Amino acid sequence: MEKKNIDWASIGFGYVKTDKRFVANYKNGAWEEGGLTEDENIVLNECAGVLQYAQTCFEGLKAYTTEDGRTVCFRPDLNAKRMHDTALRLEMPPFPEDKFIEAVKAVVKANEAYVPPYGSGATLYIRPYMFGSNPVIGVKPADEYQFRIFATPVGPYFKGGAKPITITVSDFDRAAPHGTGHIKAGLNYAMSLHAIVTAHNNGFAENMYLDAATRTKVEETGGANFIFVTKDGTVVTPKSDSILPSITRRSIMHVAEHVLGLKVEHREVTFEEVKDFAECGLCGTAAVISPVGKIVYKDGEIAFPAGMEEMGPVTKKLYDTLTGIQMGRLEAPEGWIVEID
Ligand code: PLP
Ligand code: COI
């Protein structure tokens, strides 16, 4: 497969139009088969449910070129399941999970020339999404929906790639107790935009959100879960009903325990104890594992021992193991790698 002539090493996390995308419509109570199209534009009624009441959700996963030249995706079944759960919470008709995986494969196959080569530092980001498409003026779910998937080659989410970032504790909340923080609804991201612009204007790469009820517990950032490492090498991740169940985080916890033999804890994490951790990182499809060097908050700052130049030793081990599995350098647990053929 001849690859596109793109300077893979220098692309950031942005949109690049690729050749084909998948579209399926939901009408009269059923999903149509759907198929690939070249048209990247969508024409909608002015009163479409997505435009008026933000009835939309999305997913994110990646395709990789492995060391031996195969094109693979990482755990698309978990994205299919999470989008199913999200849809139910938003009163949308779930897109069938098996068809989701087939559509992901079809989009990657049709855009294989855009899957960055092995070792380039870039990957193909795949964005499935769904929205209410018919006119809705009373506050209620739409009757018609569109499910789509596009793909775009991306580089690192944070400038500087694997260099530690500085984040801040947000004065704003991301998700309410019993709200929608645990699903991938567009509305969660809309309401985080003011907080992220504020953080960027103050010189920070991201926000740490605390739990809205007590503001004492660590939740997540706008686009990634946290992983911490204690001084004795235990990997700790925050547990909360209002954070997104990150597929990357779940995968890291599995490899930490079963491949690296580390102790792992998935539990509530108080902000008070963060200063005692040896390492901190953000994990997600876009973020991969991005090390956090420093957290600035109202009354001071926490500087992690590994400093601002490199990731800490345990974070590095987790990063190498996760990306080793994704790029085919290490054996993957059963079912994690789906080949595009
Ligand atoms: N948390 C939020 C708010 C996110 O948007 C994402 C990205 O999908 C994640 C966490 C990480 O989840 P995943 O590892 O499934 O990409
Ligand atoms: C992802 O990691 O797939 C996300 O959706 C996060 C977003 C901030 C790009």
Side-chain angles (χ1 to χ4, degrees):
M1 159 64 51
E2 182 146 350
K3 298 292 180 187
K4 292 283 168 184
N5 185 18
I6 292 175
D7 181 8
W8 306 105
S10 67
I11 56 175
F13 198 87
Y15 174 75
V16 173
K17 186 187 160 196
T18 52
D19 293 341
K20 301 263 176 75
R21 62 275 303 125
F22 179 87
V23 188
N25 290 299
Y26 179 90
K27 221 175 173 165
N28 301 322
W31 283 104
E32 66 176 21
E33 203 53 39
L36 295 174
T37 170
E38 288 182 1
D39 192 354
E40 77 276 30
N41 293 309
I42 301 168
V43 176
L44 279 177
N45 185 280
E46 61 190 352
C47 199
V50 60
L51 298 178
Q52 300 309 322
Y53 302 123
Q55 199 185 14
T56 180
C57 62
F58 69 98
E59 271 302 325
L61 68 158
K62 282 177 172 172
Y64 309 83
T65 303
T66 60
E67 194 170 24
D68 60 0
R70 290 170 300 133
T71 302
V72 300
C73 284
F74 186 68
R75 311 192 77 179
D77 53 320
L78 297 190
N79 295 95
K81 168 77 171 73
R82 192 169 61 188
M83 195 166 193
H84 176 277
D85 297 345
T86 297
L88 291 180
R89 177 63 177 77
L90 295 176
E91 293 294 338
M92 302 168 102
F95 192 73
E97 291 173 52
D98 55 338
K99 295 226 163 98
F100 177 108
I101 296 169
E102 287 312 310
V104 166
K105 285 184 181 172
V107 170
V108 176
K109 182 84 194 149
N111 296 298
E112 212 165 358
Y114 293 90
V115 184
Y118 175 78
S120 64
T123 50
L124 187 77
Y125 185 68
I126 303 156
R127 172 54 64 89
Y129 61 112
M130 187 168 133
F131 51 87
S133 53
N134 69 299
V136 174
I137 194 69
V139 178
K140 65 176 175 80
D143 303 308
E144 295 176 9
Y145 294 86
Q146 190 164 101
F147 170 84
R148 297 178 73 104
I149 304 178
F150 70 82
T152 181
V154 295
Y157 190 69
F158 295 106
K159 278 195 215 91
K163 267 214 156 183
I165 54 172
T166 299
I167 65 170
T168 187
V169 178
S170 180
D171 289 334
F172 303 99
D173 294 326
R174 174 183 176 274
H178 316 295
T180 56
H182 61 299
I183 58 163
K184 215 157 162 57
L187 62 93
N188 292 340
Y189 300 81
M191 53 70 60
S192 76
L193 296 177
H194 181 58
I196 193 65
V197 169
T198 306
H200 287 166
N201 287 344
N202 291 326
F204 302 111
E206 250 295 359
N207 282 305
M208 169 186 272
Y209 293 102
L210 301 179
D211 75 294
T214 71
R215 292 188 152 247
T216 58
K217 287 172 270 182
V218 176
E219 294 256 296
E220 60 174 330
T221 69
N225 281 182
F226 278 101
I227 43 176
F228 298 103
V229 182
T230 64
K231 288 186 179 124
D232 62 2
T234 299
V235 182
V236 180
T237 65
K239 187 175 188 173
S240 159
D241 290 341
S242 46
I243 68 179
L244 193 77
S246 159
I247 293 161
T248 315
R249 186 255 299 157
R250 286 181 266 161
S251 305
I252 290 168
M253 297 305 268
H254 181 92
V255 299
E257 187 174 1
H258 300 288
V259 179
L260 299 173
L262 299 171
K263 204 170 150 225
V264 302
E265 291 176 4
H266 184 212
R267 60 165 172 84
E268 285 192 343
V269 173
T270 62
F271 182 66
E272 184 53 35
E273 68 180 301
V274 171
K275 62 178 183 337
D276 300 324
F277 289 124
E279 300 176 36
C280 172
L282 307 182
C283 68
T285 299
V288 193
I289 300 181
S290 301
V292 174
K294 203 188 275 184
I295 303 176
V296 177
Y297 61 106
K298 213 165 52 275
D299 304 317
E301 60 178 50
I302 297 165
F304 293 99
M308 295 304 294
E309 287 304 315
E310 284 176 43
M311 40 177 109
V314 176
T315 306
K316 176 89 172 81
K317 236 188 247 177
L318 295 171
Y319 179 91
D320 287 345
T321 310
L322 176 72
T323 55
I325 289 170
Q326 291 168 332
M327 311 274 175
R329 289 188 300 269
L330 297 175
E331 196 185 330
E334 180 73 29
W336 282 22
I337 296 297
V338 171
E339 203 158 323
I340 310 299
D341 39 33

